[in-house]
Amino acid sequence: MEPHVQKSLDEWKEEITDLLSEIDKEYERVKQDLQIYSYKFSITKQVVQSTVNEEIIRNIRELYHQPFEQKFNHLKEVIKDLEEKKKVFQMFVDKIEKVKMKESEETRTVQTY
């Protein structure tokens, strides 16, 4: 592979690897938030199920249960999106490596003949 092509691919791979790193950081942050809201949502659900007073149930649902449920569902969607981004950008890295390996093998094969 010609040096300028190699250099360009390496730079591109580095750029994508940096993006992947940022996605991983965001993923971990959202994952932690999701865990927190999972607990909050679950706890409020259990409290509502154990409460008899309809007014208290309504208040708990309005103040906690519904907002926690919405945030929990939103975070699940964000996690899905981040997982898809990770998968896509990892494909770029894999494809760049594959091209570099193929070119390297072809160069070695040509040199041995």
Side-chain angles (χ1 to χ4, degrees), residues 11-77:
E11 288 170 353
W12 192 29
K13 179 183 169 193
E14 186 177 326
E15 179 184 322
I16 292 171
T17 302
D18 290 345
L19 281 170
L20 265 172
S21 177
E22 290 302 312
I23 292 168
D24 282 337
K25 288 175 189 173
E26 178 72 5
Y27 180 87
E28 287 305 314
R29 187 190 63 73
V30 172
K31 184 177 163 186
Q32 289 172 0
D33 287 350
L34 182 62
Q35 185 179 27
I36 290 166
Y37 278 93
S38 173
Y39 284 119
K40 288 180 173 183
F41 176 59
S42 177
I43 290 167
T44 58
K45 186 176 183 178
Q46 292 169 17
V47 169
V48 165
Q49 289 172 347
S50 300
T51 304
V52 183
N53 186 314
E54 286 300 320
E55 185 178 335
I56 294 173
I57 291 173
R58 190 171 34 261
N59 286 338
I60 291 171
R61 282 189 174 139
E62 288 176 13
L63 290 173
Y64 303 110
H65 188 72
Q66 290 171 344
F68 292 161
E69 181 178 25
Q70 290 171 350
K71 184 69 172 181
F72 175 74
N73 289 331
H74 170 74
L75 290 170
K76 283 191 334 189
E77 288 301 314

